Amino acid sequence: MSFRDANVIVIDTSRSFIRAGLGLYDLLKIPIIAIPARVGIRRNPSSNDNPNGVYSPVLQKEIQQKFLSTNQTTIHPHYTISHASVKDYLVGTQLDEALATGQDILISWPFAENTVHDWVQAEAIWKYILFNQLQRRRTQNESPVLLILPAGLSRATYERACQMFFERFNVPGFAILERPMAQMYSANSLSGVIVDVDELKTDITPIYEGFIIHSTRTTVDVGMRDCKLYLANLLKSNTSVMSTLSPQDKPLDMETLHQTLLELVQQIYEEGLIKVPSDGETAIAEDEGVTDIAAVVVAGKERAVIESGMKKKMTAKASAAEQARAREIEALDLITIQFREQSITLGKERHRFCEPLFDPGLLQGIPGIVPRKWSLPVQEVVGQAVGQTDVDQRPYIWQGLFVTGDITRRVKGMSIALQSRLAPYLIQPDLITDIQPRSIRVLNVPEFYSEYRETGNGYAAFLGGSITAKIIFSDSNGKNYVSKADYSSRGPHTIVEMTPSLL
């Protein structure tokens, strides 16, 4: 059987976020739902805030033990509470509201390790998406679901997810797609290497002819959060920023200053004021006047400098001195933003945001960074991952460098910057053959997906899932998804037979 496009649901499940949408149209749309991939459970519930009454003594004791064993240095902790049920967990706006009112909540991220750490928590999240956010009804559920999951999960995981969606959510059709493949499909390609920058980690996945090369998949222990903390630390050396946020007559304490700088970095990031220099370019020239922004601000000339920088660099009649001055002003790359009703002038240091990805050693000693064994730079890990593939596969994989993740929605130039840093890994002097790759091609979400033009590659997995769902759920033969009839006759194992990557 085939399904109406308007009823199809796509759920993209990643470490940090769950994104979902209802309905597939000729104009594929961005996800309408995005929530953190986390659940919460109250420490001491009462009958007022827990509709099911207080916890059982056994569950209460287990929760108290989890609170005592909480690792405060873990950013996305995940816990299994064996006696908890789906109804005990808070998700989405329910959790946000509980945290906003200062309730004592234990937070768990069930997908933090790119697997399903706790199935009850996973069910709570997916149930919230289907029945709370998308307003589906379990008794008459007409919406098939394409579930996007991390790569490399076991067959048992696929079978359990299939069982949950049919038996707990009563879906009429179900399919699973691996995230890297969904991302590659969004770029209209079957071969390449996916570099997915998440909040805490970066996943690298080589793909050849529509199949993930699992033996070469790897992860870098640096993500977007590290970049934000790094830039916040850099801004401490900007005397203009510091004199505005923490003046000498009313200095902020270290913790408040740290949080304030993080909020400033978040605003800079969200406003798209960051670009990544290619290898060989300089994000900031410390001895060329860039750190003298304070002097410009104190003199009250920042507006004049910025306005001058916006004019044409030179005219036909401009003198050599005028041209040199125009280049000098442009080199400062100053911007003034409003932050907490104050004007703050920033220079090129904001473009150093992504440096930790290319040099993780820069993170050592920075406040807020969890001490850990530092991984190799992203470019080196990508070079090694592709280098481990078969020789005849590499030319095709290098023709599909695809950088994705939320960071690409706001930060400009990530793909080109990584491409330039990968050049040394392309040529191998001891292996000069006709199949030696000679170039690296950058992939992006095509412009003709108009809804995605302003989102970078950040929604690539959801777009690829939407494209796949549109194809498989309109197939009357149903060879790439599990129907309710299939499930009734053959059970959860049917998802393995219907998923090409598992065969």
Side-chain angles (χ1 to χ4, degrees):
M1 63 177 296
S2 59
F3 298 94
R4 293 177 56 226
D5 283 353
N7 288 332
V8 175
I9 291 175
V10 176
I11 302 177
D12 175 23
T13 304
S14 70
R15 281 193 179 93
S16 305
F17 282 94
I18 307 292
R19 296 186 174 91
L22 170 65
L24 301 173
Y25 307 92
D26 291 337
L27 183 63
L28 294 177
K29 298 183 178 181
I30 61 176
I32 59 175
I33 296 167
I35 64 170
R38 64 182 183 178
V39 299
I41 192 166
R42 293 183 176 95
R43 181 173 188 171
N44 295 301
S46 66
S47 57
N48 293 329
D49 57 26
N50 182 7
N52 301 294
V54 296
Y55 298 144
S56 68
V58 175
L59 176 56
Q60 182 69 59
K61 182 179 179 180
E62 186 178 5
I63 293 174
Q64 294 293 349
Q65 291 174 343
K66 294 296 181 183
F67 266 95
L68 292 175
S69 63
T70 298
N71 184 355
Q72 299 297 334
T73 63
T74 303
I75 307 303
H76 283 179
H78 45 83
Y79 307 100
T80 294
I81 302 178
S82 57
H83 294 90
S85 63
V86 171
K87 61 187 178 184
D88 293 320
Y89 288 109
L90 303 173
V91 186
T93 55
Q94 305 163 346
L95 177 56
D96 295 338
E97 291 169 2
L99 292 172
T101 57
Q103 296 182 38
D104 206 356
I105 306 290
L106 182 70
I107 303 294
S108 180
W109 301 74
F111 308 107
E113 298 301 323
N114 257 7
T115 186
V116 184
H117 185 75
D118 186 293
W119 282 98
V120 176
Q121 296 173 8
E123 181 179 345
I125 293 176
W126 291 329
K127 179 181 178 181
Y128 175 83
I129 291 287
L130 290 172
F131 302 136
N132 185 296
Q133 295 294 290
L134 296 179
Q135 298 293 304
R136 300 297 90 190
R137 292 188 302 173
R138 188 185 186 283
T139 53
Q140 294 179 328
N141 192 347
E142 298 179 349
S143 293
V145 172
L146 175 73
L147 181 64
I148 302 172
L149 290 176
L153 299 182
S154 67
R155 295 187 177 192
T157 299
Y158 276 59
E159 291 179 12
R160 188 157 184 180
C162 181
Q163 181 179 10
M164 179 183 295
F165 274 82
F166 278 107
E167 296 185 10
R168 304 289 290 178
F169 304 147
N170 194 34
V171 297
F174 181 69
I176 294 178
L177 180 63
E178 292 177 298
R179 287 196 91 237
M181 281 313 312
Q183 291 161 337
M184 187 58 71
Y185 290 157
S186 73
N188 288 347
S189 182
L190 293 176
S191 298
V193 55
I194 302 292
V195 181
D196 188 1
V197 185
D198 194 65
E199 188 71 13
L200 300 182
K201 300 177 184 291
T202 299
D203 297 310
I204 292 109
T205 310
I207 298 173
Y208 178 70
E209 288 297 315
F211 287 92
I212 294 173
I213 308 175
H214 288 281
S215 61
T216 63
R217 287 190 302 110
T218 187
T219 297
V220 176
D221 199 20
V222 179
M224 196 161 58
R225 180 180 181 275
D226 298 299
C227 296
K228 292 176 182 177
L229 290 167
Y230 176 71
L231 181 54
N233 189 65
L234 283 180
L235 291 176
K236 291 180 181 178
S237 63
N238 186 319
T239 52
S240 172
V241 171
M242 293 298 291
S243 62
T244 302
L245 298 181
S246 184
Q248 292 184 353
D249 56 336
K250 291 183 179 180
L252 300 177
D253 62 81
M254 293 302 295
E255 179 61 28
T256 303
L257 176 61
H258 178 69
Q259 293 302 320
T260 301
L261 288 171
L262 277 179
E263 289 181 26
L264 175 59
V265 168
Q266 185 66 27
Q267 180 175 325
I268 296 169
Y269 168 77
E270 290 180 353
E271 292 183 5
L273 303 177
I274 299 169
K275 64 180 180 180
V276 188
S278 298
D279 193 25
E281 292 184 34
T282 304
I284 180 170
E286 306 251 351
D287 59 349
E288 293 182 4
V290 176
T291 54
D292 199 28
I293 294 173
V296 177
V297 175
V298 170
K301 297 180 180 180
E302 71 273 17
R303 181 176 295 277
V305 170
I306 294 170
E307 289 178 352
S308 298
M310 294 173 62
K311 297 178 181 179
K312 292 183 178 180
K313 290 185 284 185
M314 55 193 71
T315 63
K317 298 181 180 180
S319 65
E322 289 172 336
Q323 293 178 14
R325 178 58 181 163
R327 287 193 293 269
E328 181 181 345
I329 291 173
E330 184 183 14
L332 288 174
D333 195 7
L334 300 183
I335 59 168
T336 295
I337 65 172
Q338 293 299 121
F339 176 72
R340 293 185 175 179
E341 299 182 351
Q342 294 177 305
S343 295
I344 294 181
T345 300
L346 302 165
K348 296 176 73 174
E349 71 270 14
R350 67 187 188 275
H351 301 317
R352 300 179 65 182
F353 181 83
C354 291
E355 283 185 356
L357 290 168
F358 305 124
D359 186 3
L362 294 171
L363 296 171
Q364 295 186 33
I366 290 180
I369 298 291
V370 178
R372 56 189 184 269
K373 181 179 179 181
W374 300 109
S375 57
L376 296 173
V378 168
Q379 66 272 19
E380 187 169 341
V381 177
V382 172
Q384 290 180 358
V386 178
Q388 291 172 11
T389 62
D390 291 344
V391 174
D392 57 348
Q393 295 175 345
R394 294 174 202 168
Y396 302 96
I397 294 174
W398 280 125
Q399 287 300 296
L401 175 64
F402 191 46
V403 181
T404 182
D406 268 7
I407 197 170
T408 63
R409 295 175 54 202
R410 311 289 187 184
V411 178
K412 306 167 186 173
M414 269 291 296
S415 299
I416 301 301
L418 180 57
Q419 179 193 39
S420 65
R421 288 168 170 83
L422 284 171
Y425 303 96
L426 194 65
I427 303 299
Q428 299 181 26
D430 57 337
L431 184 64
I432 303 298
T433 68
D434 292 339
I435 60 173
Q436 172 72 49
R438 291 174 173 79
S439 64
I440 300 172
R441 183 168 67 100
V442 169
L443 297 179
N444 288 296
V445 170
E447 286 286 321
F448 52 74
Y449 294 114
S450 57
E451 290 275 324
Y452 290 81
R453 286 176 186 165
E454 303 301 323
T455 64
N457 298 330
Y459 293 148
F462 185 84
L463 173 59
S466 299
I467 295 169
T468 303
K470 196 172 182 64
I471 295 171
I472 66 173
F473 287 130
S474 62
D475 180 9
S476 58
N477 294 321
K479 298 298 184 183
N480 290 297
Y481 72 88
V482 180
S483 67
K484 187 172 291 186
D486 294 329
Y487 185 81
S488 298
S489 62
R490 287 179 284 173
H493 186 72
T494 314
I495 188 67
V496 175
E497 301 171 4
M498 297 293 191
T499 305
S501 62
L502 299 180
L503 297 178

